[in-house]
Amino acid sequence: MLTSPHATAGEGARATRDRLLDSAERLFAQHGLAATSVREITAEAGANLAAVNYHFGGKHQLYVESFRRRLGVLREQRIATITETLRRTRGARALETLLRAFAESFLDPLLVAEGGRCLMRMIQREMLDPELPEGMFEGELVGPVRASLAEAVLAIEPDLPADHVRRAVESFIAQLLHLARTLDRAGAARSETAAHIEHIVRFSAAGFRACAHPPGRRARTRRDRG
Amino acid sequence: MLTSPHATAGEGARATRDRLLDSAERLFAQHGLAATSVREITAEAGANLAAVNYHFGGKHQLYVESFRRRLGVLREQRIATITETLRRTRGARALETLLRAFAESFLDPLLVAEGGRCLMRMIQREMLDPELPEGMFEGELVGPVRASLAEAVLAIEPDLPADHVRRAVESFIAQLLHLARTLDRAGAARSETAAHIEHIVRFSAAGFRACAHPPGRRARTRRDRG
DNA sequence: TTGACTCCCATACGATCGTTTCATACGATT
DNA sequence: AATCGTATGAAACGATCGTATGGGAGTCAA
């Protein structure tokens, strides 16, 4: 009702469809798929109850669509951060710089307090109760980003065993996800968050370097305070 | 119907109540509070639909009760692992030993494949959508365990700044939670899991030691390959 | 035997859910 | 002007939800 009742056909349709996606994203993030009713979504979007089935064919497909809309850009954004940082970073502290840049990029959607907060919650939910088509989440976001980050770390620290790096990337991301959960519940002060990121970077950089040959002695890559 | 229809009054009642708790725990863990119906629970427990309201006063209180039943023993079990390991461990690798013991204790409920798997999922859910009374989860499990582990690490590595240790404990637990999620979805082979635990221990031990004085130079506690 | 109490059952109630149906209004096309 | 496809609206459908109700079976004390 904010715009003219119908506008031109195509334009009006797009508006309703997008308003549904926006409301759905917010509500699905807040309460989950099962606990969000179509009536809630359409009411918040200022649309008719039947609009969801008309535009998307059902509640579940609206859920998938509201997810798909974000997955691609999030993936490209994160990978771009990685390759960009890798391109212009050299020196003994390159690993820390890379991890810091990725961490900030990773948590950025959460800090802007805008619609970004939603996506992070949707991701956490999807990790617990997968509702997306098989492999969509892993294939379109998690897998590529993980691979890109591991590759970048290996470019910086070529002496580390690839297997160790892959696991360390998991450890690093696990901490970021955990911090994201914490921030999501109690939106901490910006400075406090920066300190937390700095901790994760230092903690993880040491962890990345903590292994040269898996079984026996510790890493001694001479890059350790060169 | 497995036992005699009623048995003695007290005994029969206890049986139904406990069967409800068991089924509720499993189903709440699998699908969440909202997505689990009272009818499902009572059907699986072989009880009447009204039994939930009779014994617990409602669905939500059954949820809380099925949680409370486990929180205390889990907390004591984890703290006991910490203090016990701390008591009988000395030497340069004491930190690794402590972390390994805690990690195995932490993931143990997941590996037994019995009812333990449930609790882990319930915890992950509770971290996303808190349904328990305010502070119950944090106060009865998370807080005490976190404090106990931080204290133990400080006893082993007294030179580390307490602030850093507290954050590092978070980082360590974040990795365990992440691994728990992974194991929960795709129950990996036992050996694969052991290797993953070993990685987390080494990664985290390095992270714990990665800081002597927060801003400037790295930790050099001389314990690093003494 | 009676009454009180505990536990369980079958059933019903009101609410809410996702989805479907049918009717209408508008712009574009012929 | 007549027609068609698109977008929306109001209303209803059948299903399922959590909870409430009333009664029956069992035990125990008086």
Side-chain angles (χ1 to χ4, degrees):
Chain A
M1 296 297 175
L2 294 173
T3 67
S4 61
H6 276 149
T8 64
E11 184 185 316
R14 184 91 56 85
T16 297
R17 222 187 97 102
D18 284 353
R19 267 181 293 131
L20 284 175
L21 281 171
D22 290 340
S23 299
E25 179 175 345
R26 204 184 68 79
L27 290 167
F28 283 148
Q30 196 141 44
H31 308 115
L33 173 60
T36 302
S37 70
V38 177
R39 285 170 172 84
E40 277 183 271
I41 298 171
T42 53
E44 174 170 314
N48 187 270
L49 172 60
V52 164
N53 279 277
Y54 176 77
H55 284 286
F56 300 95
K59 178 191 186 182
H60 198 274
Q61 290 151 89
L62 167 59
Y63 176 82
V64 174
E65 200 53 36
S66 73
F67 225 115
R68 191 200 312 278
R69 191 170 60 145
R70 305 283 185 189
L71 277 188
V73 303
L74 194 63
R75 178 190 64 229
E76 295 312 318
Q77 178 180 312
R78 287 182 180 173
I79 292 181
T81 300
I82 293 171
T83 58
E84 189 65 13
T85 306
L86 183 63
R87 192 178 60 76
R88 62 171 156 198
T89 303
R90 293 289 182 280
R93 289 293 177 209
L95 179 58
E96 276 84 351
T97 303
L98 173 68
L99 296 183
R100 188 177 302 113
F102 182 81
E104 285 167 358
S105 158
F106 189 93
L107 296 171
D108 187 61
L110 260 158
L111 302 179
V112 293
E114 166 227 348
R117 188 171 301 242
C118 296
L119 185 58
M120 203 54 106
R121 281 184 71 90
M122 289 185 75
I123 288 177
Q124 307 263 12
R125 288 188 187 285
E126 185 62 24
M127 293 175 68
L128 200 55
D129 298 300
E131 312 266 15
L132 296 178
E134 177 85 16
M136 172 176 167
F137 182 61
E138 174 75 18
E140 291 198 23
L141 180 66
V142 180
V145 170
R146 186 162 37 191
S148 172
L149 184 54
E151 187 187 359
V153 170
L154 272 174
I156 291 178
E157 305 267 358
D159 294 340
L160 295 180
D163 211 57
H164 169 72
V165 168
R166 247 170 319 215
R167 285 200 163 114
V169 162
E170 279 299 311
S171 290
F172 177 55
I173 292 181
Q175 295 171 72
L176 294 180
L177 283 168
H178 189 71
L179 175 56
R181 265 194 299 259
T182 304
L183 291 179
D184 189 50
R185 192 175 319 286
R190 186 75 182 223
S191 64
E192 185 60 29
T193 302
H196 214 139
I197 290 180
E198 205 50 37
H199 156 79
I200 291 178
V201 167
R202 194 161 18 182
F203 184 96
S204 300
F208 270 100
R209 297 195 182 104
C211 173
H213 309 93
R217 28 205 341 121
R218 304 274 287 292
R220 190 60 54 132
T221 46
R222 178 145 299 276
R223 197 176 265 94
D224 187 7
R225 199 76 199 107
Chain B
M1 295 298 177
L2 295 174
T3 68
S4 63
H6 278 149
T8 64
E11 183 185 317
R14 185 90 56 86
T16 297
R17 221 187 98 102
D18 284 353
R19 267 181 292 130
L20 284 175
L21 280 172
D22 290 341
S23 299
E25 179 175 344
R26 204 184 68 78
L27 290 167
F28 283 147
Q30 196 142 42
H31 308 115
L33 173 60
T36 302
S37 70
V38 177
R39 283 170 173 84
E40 277 183 89
I41 297 171
T42 53
E44 173 170 315
N48 186 269
L49 171 61
V52 164
N53 278 278
Y54 176 76
H55 284 286
F56 300 95
K59 178 190 185 183
H60 197 273
Q61 290 151 87
L62 167 60
Y63 176 81
V64 174
E65 200 54 35
S66 73
F67 225 115
R68 190 200 313 276
R69 191 171 61 145
R70 305 283 185 190
L71 278 188
V73 304
L74 194 63
R75 177 190 64 229
E76 295 311 318
Q77 178 180 313
R78 287 181 181 173
I79 291 182
T81 300
I82 294 171
T83 58
E84 189 65 14
T85 306
L86 183 61
R87 192 178 60 75
R88 62 172 156 198
T89 305
R90 293 290 181 279
R93 289 291 177 212
L95 179 58
E96 277 84 350
T97 303
L98 173 68
L99 295 183
R100 188 177 302 112
F102 182 81
E104 285 167 358
S105 158
F106 189 94
L107 295 171
D108 186 62
L110 261 158
L111 302 179
V112 293
E114 165 227 351
R117 190 172 300 243
C118 298
L119 186 58
M120 204 53 107
R121 280 183 73 89
M122 288 185 74
I123 288 176
Q124 307 262 13
R125 289 189 186 284
E126 185 63 25
M127 292 176 70
L128 200 56
D129 298 300
E131 313 266 14
L132 296 179
E134 177 85 13
M136 172 176 167
F137 182 60
E138 174 75 17
E140 290 198 24
L141 180 65
V142 181
V145 170
R146 185 162 40 192
S148 172
L149 184 55
E151 188 186 358
V153 170
L154 272 174
I156 291 178
E157 305 266 358
D159 293 341
L160 294 180
D163 211 57
H164 169 72
V165 168
R166 247 171 319 216
R167 284 198 163 115
V169 163
E170 280 299 310
S171 290
F172 177 56
I173 291 181
Q175 294 171 72
L176 294 179
L177 283 168
H178 189 70
L179 175 57
R181 264 194 300 260
T182 306
L183 291 179
D184 188 53
R185 192 175 321 285
R190 186 74 182 226
S191 63
E192 184 61 29
T193 300
H196 214 139
I197 290 180
E198 205 50 36
H199 157 79
I200 291 178
V201 167
R202 196 162 15 183
F203 184 95
S204 299
F208 269 100
R209 298 194 181 105
C211 174
H213 309 93
R217 29 206 336 121
R218 304 273 285 292
R220 190 59 55 132
T221 45
R222 175 146 300 277
R223 196 175 269 97
D224 187 4
R225 200 78 197 104

Coordinates of all heavy atoms in Angstrom, one line a residue, chain B residues 6 12-13 16 48 50 54-55, chain C residues 6-13:
Chain B
H6 N -0.4 -52.0 35.1 CA -0.3 -50.9 36.1 C 0.8 -51.1 37.1 O 1.3 -50.1 37.6 CB -1.7 -50.6 36.8 CG -2.6 -49.8 36.0 ND1 -3.9 -49.9 36.0 CD2 -2.3 -48.8 35.0 CE1 -4.5 -49.0 35.2 NE2 -3.5 -48.4 34.6
G12 N 4.4 -47.9 38.4 CA 3.9 -47.7 37.1 C 3.9 -46.3 36.7 O 4.3 -46.0 35.5
A13 N 3.7 -45.4 37.6 CA 3.7 -44.0 37.3 C 5.1 -43.6 36.9 O 5.3 -42.9 35.9 CB 3.3 -43.2 38.5
T16 N 5.9 -44.6 33.2 CA 5.4 -43.8 32.2 C 6.1 -42.4 32.1 O 6.4 -42.0 31.0 CB 3.9 -43.6 32.5 OG1 3.2 -44.8 32.4 CG2 3.3 -42.7 31.4
N48 N -0.7 -42.3 26.9 CA -1.9 -41.6 26.4 C -1.5 -40.1 26.1 O -0.6 -39.6 26.7 CB -3.0 -41.7 27.4 CG -4.3 -41.0 26.9 OD1 -4.5 -39.9 27.1 ND2 -5.1 -41.8 26.2
A50 N -2.9 -37.5 27.0 CA -3.1 -36.6 28.2 C -2.0 -36.8 29.2 O -1.8 -36.0 30.1 CB -4.4 -36.8 28.8
Y54 N -0.6 -34.4 32.4 CA -0.8 -34.9 33.7 C 0.5 -34.9 34.5 O 0.6 -34.5 35.6 CB -1.4 -36.4 33.7 CG -1.5 -37.0 35.0 CD1 -2.5 -36.6 35.9 CD2 -0.6 -37.9 35.4 CE1 -2.6 -37.2 37.1 CE2 -0.6 -38.5 36.7 CZ -1.7 -38.1 37.6 OH -1.8 -38.7 38.8
H55 N 1.6 -35.4 33.8 CA 2.8 -35.6 34.6 C 3.7 -34.3 34.6 O 4.5 -34.2 35.5 CB 3.6 -36.7 33.9 CG 3.1 -38.1 34.3 ND1 3.3 -38.7 35.5 CD2 2.4 -39.0 33.6 CE1 2.8 -39.9 35.6 NE2 2.2 -40.1 34.4
Chain C
dT6 P -2.8 -37.9 45.1 OP1 -1.5 -37.4 45.6 OP2 -3.8 -37.1 44.4 O5' -2.4 -39.1 44.1 C5' -1.9 -40.3 44.7 C4' -1.7 -41.4 43.5 O4' -3.0 -41.9 43.2 C3' -1.1 -40.8 42.2 O3' -0.1 -41.7 41.7 C2' -2.3 -40.7 41.3 C1' -3.2 -41.9 41.8 N1 -4.6 -41.8 41.5 C2 -5.3 -42.9 41.0 O2 -4.7 -43.9 40.7 N3 -6.6 -42.7 40.8 C4 -7.3 -41.6 41.1 O4 -8.5 -41.5 40.8 C5 -6.6 -40.5 41.6 C7 -7.3 -39.2 42.0 C6 -5.3 -40.6 41.8
dC7 P 0.9 -41.1 40.6 OP1 2.3 -41.7 40.9 OP2 0.8 -39.6 40.5 O5' 0.3 -41.8 39.3 C5' 0.3 -43.2 39.2 C4' -0.7 -43.6 38.1 O4' -2.0 -43.1 38.4 C3' -0.4 -42.9 36.7 O3' 0.1 -44.0 35.8 C2' -1.7 -42.4 36.2 C1' -2.7 -43.0 37.2 N1 -4.0 -42.2 37.4 C2 -5.2 -42.8 37.1 O2 -5.3 -43.9 36.7 N3 -6.4 -42.0 37.3 C4 -6.3 -40.8 37.8 N4 -7.4 -40.1 38.0 C5 -5.0 -40.2 38.1 C6 -3.9 -40.9 37.9
dC8 P 0.6 -43.6 34.3 OP1 1.6 -44.6 33.9 OP2 0.8 -42.2 34.3 O5' -0.7 -43.9 33.5 C5' -1.3 -45.2 33.5 C4' -2.7 -45.2 32.9 O4' -3.5 -44.3 33.6 C3' -2.7 -44.7 31.4 O3' -3.0 -45.8 30.6 C2' -3.7 -43.6 31.4 C1' -4.5 -43.8 32.7 N1 -5.0 -42.5 33.3 C2 -6.4 -42.3 33.4 O2 -7.1 -43.2 33.0 N3 -6.8 -41.1 33.9 C4 -6.0 -40.2 34.3 N4 -6.5 -39.1 34.8 C5 -4.6 -40.4 34.2 C6 -4.1 -41.5 33.7
dC9 P -2.7 -45.6 29.0 OP1 -2.2 -46.9 28.6 OP2 -1.9 -44.4 28.8 O5' -4.1 -45.4 28.4 C5' -5.2 -46.2 28.6 C4' -6.5 -45.5 28.4 O4' -6.7 -44.5 29.4 C3' -6.7 -44.9 27.1 O3' -7.5 -45.8 26.2 C2' -7.5 -43.6 27.4 C1' -7.7 -43.6 28.9 N1 -7.5 -42.2 29.5 C2 -8.5 -41.4 29.8 O2 -9.7 -41.8 29.5 N3 -8.3 -40.2 30.3 C4 -7.1 -39.8 30.6 N4 -6.9 -38.6 31.2 C5 -6.0 -40.7 30.4 C6 -6.2 -41.8 29.8
dA10 P -7.5 -45.6 24.7 OP1 -7.7 -46.9 24.1 OP2 -6.4 -44.8 24.3 O5' -8.9 -44.8 24.5 C5' -10.0 -45.2 25.2 C4' -11.1 -44.2 25.0 O4' -10.9 -43.0 25.9 C3' -11.3 -43.6 23.6 O3' -12.7 -43.5 23.3 C2' -10.6 -42.2 23.7 C1' -10.9 -41.8 25.1 N9 -9.9 -40.9 25.7 C8 -8.6 -41.0 25.7 N7 -7.9 -40.1 26.3 C5 -8.9 -39.3 26.8 C6 -8.9 -38.1 27.6 N6 -7.7 -37.5 28.0 N1 -10.1 -37.5 27.9 C2 -11.2 -38.1 27.5 N3 -11.4 -39.2 26.8 C4 -10.2 -39.8 26.5
dT11 P -13.1 -43.1 21.8 OP1 -14.4 -43.7 21.5 OP2 -11.9 -43.2 20.9 O5' -13.4 -41.5 22.1 C5' -14.1 -41.1 23.2 C4' -14.1 -39.6 23.4 O4' -12.9 -39.2 24.0 C3' -14.3 -38.8 22.1 O3' -15.4 -38.0 22.1 C2' -13.0 -37.9 22.0 C1' -12.6 -37.9 23.5 N1 -11.2 -37.5 23.8 C2 -10.9 -36.5 24.6 O2 -11.8 -35.8 25.1 N3 -9.6 -36.2 24.8 C4 -8.5 -36.9 24.3 O4 -7.4 -36.6 24.5 C5 -8.9 -38.0 23.4 C7 -7.8 -38.8 22.7 C6 -10.2 -38.3 23.2
dA12 P -16.0 -37.4 20.8 OP1 -17.4 -37.8 20.6 OP2 -15.0 -37.5 19.7 O5' -16.0 -35.8 21.2 C5' -16.3 -35.5 22.6 C4' -15.8 -34.1 22.9 O4' -14.4 -34.2 23.2 C3' -15.9 -33.1 21.8 O3' -16.5 -31.9 22.2 C2' -14.5 -32.9 21.3 C1' -13.7 -33.1 22.5 N9 -12.3 -33.6 22.3 C8 -11.9 -34.7 21.5 N7 -10.6 -34.9 21.4 C5 -10.1 -33.8 22.2 C6 -8.8 -33.5 22.6 N6 -7.7 -34.1 22.1 N1 -8.6 -32.4 23.4 C2 -9.7 -31.8 23.8 N3 -11.0 -32.0 23.6 C4 -11.1 -33.1 22.7
dC13 P -16.9 -30.8 21.3 OP1 -18.3 -30.4 21.6 OP2 -16.6 -31.2 19.9 O5' -16.0 -29.6 21.7 C5' -15.6 -29.4 23.1 C4' -14.6 -28.3 23.2 O4' -13.3 -28.9 23.0 C3' -14.7 -27.3 22.1 O3' -14.8 -26.0 22.6 C2' -13.6 -27.5 21.1 C1' -12.5 -28.1 22.1 N1 -11.6 -29.1 21.4 C2 -10.2 -29.0 21.6 O2 -9.8 -28.1 22.3 N3 -9.4 -29.8 20.9 C4 -9.9 -30.8 20.1 N4 -9.1 -31.6 19.5 C5 -11.3 -30.9 19.9 C6 -12.1 -30.0 20.5

